[in-house]
Amino acid sequence: MSLNQFNLICILFFITIISVSAQYGVRLAYNNNTYSNWENAVNLRSNTNKKLLSPGYQIGVDYWFKLKKRRIEFMPEIFYSQSKTNYDGTGTLEAIKANAIGFNFHTQIYALDLEGDCDCPTFSKEGASINKGLFFHFTPGLMQHTTTATFAPTSSFAVNPIKHTVFRVGVGVGIDFGMSDFLTITPIVSYYFNSSMAWDEYLQSKANLSQLQFTLRLGFRPDYGRKRFR
């Protein structure tokens, strides 16, 4: 699959989400990225000691649906992320930046209320909020990751941007806080593992990106409003 085809699929998915009259969410995330092999190679090559491509920032949109008889919920998401490290004054290398567009399939399991009849948002039901709102998630995904190195104008060295199709999987924990019948706020802490990426042209090494991610999800329930007016 080419990058353009992948982007087209993600855009069509995004249009579907915002056009349907169902339940959806917006996700804002902070990524603590670790590119261990690449970071060591860049620092050695440029005589620096900088954290590579961290922090990073991410925005995503998801669509919500669930099982009927179990509190297991599914939230397919498309996202865009970016990060950049500047190396001003360290030689020919000026900056390295990365961006990615991808797809996550979040599966949330409410282990403390697995057999509950909760029709989210959770705050509208009786019971302890931690029992109703706490969940664990498992998330497989796929992304197109692009890395670009920028060099000083006086340098004759140049490398092309590199693109990788990356498979990923994440695990984490979160809790739902209901603000109204229309809005739920959910903080989530996750850890993601990603398949390896080679950068032979510049660093002659591979990196397995790992991410500690802090997410704030805003969940919207426009269907609640429609039900009230029927």
Side-chain angles (χ1 to χ4, degrees), residues 13 16-17 20-25 27 61-77 103-110 118-120 135 138 176 217 219-221 223:
F13 181 78
T16 301
I17 288 175
V20 296
S21 57
Q23 303 163 35
Y24 60 93
R27 295 173 181 252
V61 180
D62 66 48
Y63 170 78
W64 178 94
F65 63 98
K66 68 185 290 291
L67 296 181
K68 290 184 177 181
K69 296 184 179 181
R70 291 289 186 272
R71 288 209 62 205
I72 299 178
E73 302 182 356
F74 307 99
M75 299 183 188
E77 174 205 10
F103 173 82
N104 287 325
F105 193 87
H106 303 286
T107 300
Q108 295 184 178
I109 302 171
Y110 291 78
C118 178
D119 182 19
C120 296
F135 63 85
F138 172 76
D176 295 325
R217 180 183 185 269
F220 300 97
R221 292 290 306 266
D223 57 322

Side-chain angles (χ1 to χ4, degrees), residues 149-164:
T150 305
F151 298 88
T154 56
S155 172
S156 61
F157 191 81
V159 295
N160 296 318
I162 55 167
K163 297 178 174 64
H164 296 93

Side-chain angles (χ1 to χ4, degrees), residues 17-34:
I17 288 175
I18 62 177
S19 62
V20 296
S21 57
Q23 303 163 35
Y24 60 93
V26 176
R27 295 173 181 252
L28 306 173
Y30 171 96
N31 293 325
N32 184 358
N33 300 320
T34 299

